[in-house]
Amino acid sequence: MTHDQYAFNDPRTRYPSISPPVQQQQEPGIQSKMDPVPDLGETTYRGSGRLTGRKALITGGDSGIGGAVAIAFAREGADVAISYLPEEEEDAQHIVSQIENAGRKAVAFPGDLKDKDYCLALVDAAVKGLEGLDIVVSNAGKQVYVEKIEDLSDEQFEETFQTNVFAMFWIIKAAVPHLKPGSTIIATASLEAYHQLPFLLDYATTKGAINNFSKALAQQLAPRGIRVNAVAPGPTWSALQVTQGYPPDKLPEFGKDAPLGRSGQPAELAPAYVFLASGESSFVVGETLNVNGGTPTP
Ligand code: NAD
Ligand code: MG
């Protein structure tokens, strides 16, 4: 692995500036059918024992950022449980084999995060399957663009909040009693929390909520020795973008307005999660780590 994440590189060209062809799939999308297929670090991520013996639950761990985080965590020495939707089994199996190839245990538990009972069962399955839990990554998300508020259905508004905010709340609430001091929780916000695209009204609103949730919860749990932080990705090439997450005709230009001039790959997000999950970030609490190709944030 000569081009791993530690290689000296030019960030503008470490990954190609892609112009994805116009393409569309039904939600939640199958990553392996995308053109180009996002890079989750399969051939590049090199672990160095930073999460040795840890036990992690990652929602939406079948693809995109969550998939890249699962691969990185496993290569850093963690056992990993992932959640995903049943129709994503193919992508999930790709990640399971990556985790197992790293010599770690994988728990795959499909279901719909909009369902509270599933969220509670997921935490249970992770705790039982991994024989404990000390990292929770809330990463799954719903993003469907709608140009006009009049066309944004009550149903979509509700489902975006259920997926992005309620599921995060249900899962973290159920997980906390299992987390001993030293455990870490990482939420997934977005550049949308600060720079709202007008056609992502519901989505941007949830991402602001996630950011605030993580900062309030961080203050609540710090005195108990549990650290909460967030990662705020910028434009990242993933299935979200080809499942009505972004206007299809604008896909070839996706991410090109970032100061680095390109969209990011999920593999470029994973190290931020590794940092926040591991003990090396022991004094970092209630922070949002922006990984967005250079757009300034408050
Ligand atoms: P992705 O499509 O690869 O991952 C999202 C995952 O969410 C899916 O794989 C799916 O398993 C899960 N999911 C969605 N609805 C669900 C439901 N009802 N039940 C169970 N699982 C469900 O896309 P991604 O870009 O890697 O997204 C991961 C996170 O990153 C999301 O929270 C997203 O908002 C955030 N994010 C992405 C970008 C970007 O540009 N890609 C930018 C900022 C933030
Ligand atoms: Mg997926």
Side-chain angles (χ1 to χ4, degrees), residues 27-29 31 59-67 83-85 88 111-114 118 138-143 163-164 188-192 203 207 210 232-241 243 254 266 273:
E27 261 191 302
Q31 177 177 273
T59 65
D62 62 298
S63 61
I65 295 165
S83 86
Y84 53 98
L85 284 160
E88 296 175 299
D112 188 342
L113 291 166
K114 299 196 298 299
Y118 165 72
S138 178
N139 161 80
K142 177 182 173 71
Q143 174 187 332
T163 309
N164 298 4
T188 304
S190 169
L191 180 56
E192 291 298 311
Y203 176 82
K207 291 298 171 176
I210 291 167
T236 308
W237 183 236
S238 76
L240 274 190
Q241 314 308 336
T243 52
F254 177 68
Y273 288 82

Side-chain angles (χ1 to χ4, degrees), residues 31-292:
Q31 177 177 273
S32 61
K33 298 199 171 116
M34 290 173 66
D35 179 15
V37 175
D39 189 332
L40 307 191
E42 290 94 333
T43 62
T44 52
Y45 192 92
R46 174 159 59 103
S48 53
R50 293 160 78 191
L51 300 174
T52 303
R54 302 285 300 268
K55 299 162 193 295
L57 167 61
I58 304 167
T59 65
D62 62 298
S63 61
I65 295 165
V69 172
I71 292 171
F73 278 14
R75 292 186 188 178
E76 295 291 358
D79 293 330
V80 181
I82 61 169
S83 86
Y84 53 98
L85 284 160
E87 50 270 46
E88 296 175 299
E89 189 62 41
E90 180 189 332
D91 282 345
Q93 284 311 317
H94 169 61
I95 299 302
V96 165
S97 62
Q98 290 283 322
I99 295 168
E100 291 175 347
N101 287 345
R104 308 309 311 183
K105 180 162 195 194
V107 173
F109 196 76
D112 188 342
L113 291 166
K114 299 196 298 299
D115 174 4
K116 179 179 174 179
D117 289 341
Y118 165 72
C119 291
L120 302 184
L122 170 66
V123 172
D124 224 43
V127 170
K128 288 208 177 83
L130 304 178
E131 296 174 67
L133 188 65
D134 52 48
I135 301 172
V136 180
V137 175
S138 178
N139 161 80
K142 177 182 173 71
Q143 174 187 332
V144 175
Y145 88 98
V146 177
E147 301 278 0
K148 290 163 66 185
I149 188 168
E150 296 94 321
D151 298 329
L152 177 55
S153 68
D154 292 0
E155 189 190 18
Q156 175 174 326
F157 196 80
E158 213 167 295
E159 287 186 355
T160 305
F161 267 81
Q162 284 167 349
T163 309
N164 298 4
V165 180
F166 281 67
M168 170 185 70
F169 169 65
W170 292 325
I171 288 166
I172 293 175
K173 182 176 173 179
V176 162
H178 300 282
L179 303 181
K180 54 188 183 302
S183 300
T184 43
I185 298 172
I186 306 165
T188 304
S190 169
L191 180 56
E192 291 298 311
Y194 310 108
H195 292 267
Q196 301 79 10
L197 283 166
F199 51 75
L200 293 179
L201 183 58
D202 52 337
Y203 176 82
T205 308
T206 65
K207 291 298 171 176
I210 291 167
N211 221 11
N212 271 10
F213 177 89
S214 66
K215 287 169 196 300
L217 186 64
Q219 296 170 70
Q220 200 183 110
L221 295 184
R224 293 162 62 176
I226 301 166
R227 294 185 299 110
V228 183
N229 288 288
V231 174
T236 308
W237 183 236
S238 76
L240 274 190
Q241 314 308 336
V242 301
T243 52
Q244 298 286 303
Y246 202 71
D249 57 313
K250 293 192 175 128
L251 281 178
E253 295 307 307
F254 177 68
K256 291 204 194 298
D257 54 348
L260 281 182
R262 63 173 177 86
S263 56
Q265 292 292 327
E268 297 182 278
L269 271 296
Y273 288 82
V274 171
F275 170 68
L276 293 173
S278 83
E280 69 203 310
S281 60
S282 55
F283 213 49
V284 182
V285 177
E287 176 63 329
T288 300
L289 186 37
N290 292 281
V291 186
N292 67 25

